[in-house]
Structure formats: C-alpha cells, structure tokens
C-alpha cells in the first residue's frame, strides 16, 4: 500500500512503468506522497521533503497528486 498513489498515477500513463516516479507537490515545502519501487531504490520515501527526493533521484518524474483518482 505504500506505493498505492504511485501505482494509481501509472494507470493512465503506462509508458512510465519501470521508471522512477514520485508523487508530490512542486512547492518548496512539499513532501513525497508516494514513490515507485524504482524511485525507492534511490532512497526516496513517503513523507520525505521533495527537495531531498530530487537530490536523491534527480531523474525521477514528479507527478502532482490527483486526489479525485484516489477516491
């Protein structure tokens, strides 16, 4: 369940499967909501500041959360 939001984000974007994807905000104080296993391999975890996640995995694709989809 830790990667639920990331998996949900990949449903309409299957071309991103197998790539490091991080779900979170773009603002300076944003945190990671979820990450794929590929991003987790770089040390990215939920609730981590996005700035740190970007340093750990600069090649990650960042997707804004879509709370309507998760409902």
């Amino acid at each position: 369940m830790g990667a639920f939001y990331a998996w949900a984000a990949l449903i309409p974007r299957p071309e991103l499967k197998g790539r490091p994807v991080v779900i979170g905000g773009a603002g300076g104080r944003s945190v990671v909501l979820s990450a794929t296993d590929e991003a987790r391999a770089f040390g990215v975890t939920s609730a981590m500041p996005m700035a740190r996640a970007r340093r750990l995995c600069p090649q990650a694709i960042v997707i804004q959360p879509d709370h309507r989809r998760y409902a």
Side-chain angles (χ1 to χ4, degrees):
M1 287 302 291
F4 169 77
Y5 301 111
W7 294 333
L10 294 182
I11 292 171
R13 299 178 72 180
E15 72 277 6
L16 298 180
K17 288 184 181 176
R19 299 184 63 191
V21 176
V22 176
I23 309 302
R29 296 178 49 97
S30 297
V31 296
V32 173
L33 177 62
S34 183
T36 60
D37 292 335
E38 293 79 11
R40 289 172 184 252
F42 287 90
V44 178
T45 62
S46 297
M48 171 184 287
M50 284 298 292
R52 182 166 182 225
R54 288 190 178 128
R55 282 194 303 274
L56 289 172
C57 188
Q59 69 273 33
I61 298 155
V62 178
I63 299 175
Q64 295 286 321
D66 182 358
H67 297 287
R68 289 176 294 161
R69 174 175 296 283
Y70 312 141

